[in-house]
Amino acid sequence: MGRSTLICLLFISLLSVTTLHAQTTFPSSEGERCKYAAYIEMNGSYLSGICVLLKEDGIIKGCLFNEFGVTALDFIYQPERNKVKLHHVIQMMDKWYIRRVLRKDLAQVMTGLQNGRSDYQNERRKITYQFTPITDETTQ
């Protein structure tokens, strides 16, 4: 196994400890915040980290950052229109065709999270999205 694979496995195993009492709700009221362990895999490459969702003014603001604190995605989800607007995408993924796929897929992921599903598979592009809820043990 490569070094990055071992780091990812260590990170995921540490997150599994904090997800024992995981919440399963999507932010439903103003100011509510939810955290997810996020894992996106495509063509043998992956992006993993933490996704924070915040409901504000009827929209969901989302930020996905990796284990090192680098922001990979910054987006807004409009539930009434089921649309995602990407504000920031990490440089290696900042291509028009990747942004288009991410917008559509993240809209599906957000819809799934609202309905209690934590994963989504884009069969055509062979991309897997997994969002596992995380809670702070101190807030329980």
Side-chain angles (χ1 to χ4, degrees):
M1 274 193 231
R3 184 180 193 122
S4 61
T5 304
L6 288 173
I7 290 171
C8 180
L9 289 173
L10 175 63
F11 182 73
I12 290 171
S13 67
L14 289 174
L15 284 178
S16 66
V17 172
T18 62
T19 59
L20 293 174
H21 301 289
Q23 64 190 34
T24 57
T25 62
F26 192 73
S28 56
S29 60
E30 291 296 315
E32 187 177 354
R33 185 177 305 221
C34 294
K35 292 183 263 181
Y36 296 89
Y39 183 80
I40 303 171
E41 183 178 3
M42 62 187 101
N43 299 329
S45 300
Y46 66 91
L47 172 67
S48 63
I50 304 291
C51 181
V52 178
L53 302 177
L54 170 70
K55 183 164 188 174
E56 202 170 78
D57 299 326
I59 60 172
I60 306 295
K61 295 179 180 182
C63 180
L64 191 149
F65 52 94
N66 69 9
E67 296 90 351
F68 303 106
V70 176
T71 301
L73 298 171
D74 209 4
F75 62 92
I76 290 178
Y77 172 63
Q78 301 168 345
E80 68 280 350
R81 296 177 57 206
N82 195 31
K83 296 284 183 184
V84 169
K85 181 177 181 182
L86 296 172
H87 286 286
H88 170 77
V89 178
I90 195 166
Q91 185 177 1
M92 66 184 227
M93 296 172 61
D94 196 12
K95 312 282 189 271
W96 68 268
Y97 47 91
I98 295 174
R99 290 177 74 98
R100 183 173 64 185
V101 170
L102 280 173
R103 275 194 311 268
K104 292 177 182 178
D105 287 355
L106 283 174
Q108 293 296 321
V109 168
M110 295 297 118
T111 301
L113 290 175
Q114 284 177 311
N115 296 322
R117 290 189 319 268
S118 62
D119 59 343
Y120 172 71
Q121 177 79 33
N122 181 330
E123 297 292 335
R124 181 175 179 199
R125 307 280 183 210
K126 295 181 178 51
I127 304 172
T128 303
Y129 299 83
Q130 292 178 322
F131 284 71
T132 308
I134 301 173
T135 60
D136 296 328
E137 294 295 327
T138 58
T139 61
Q140 295 284 319

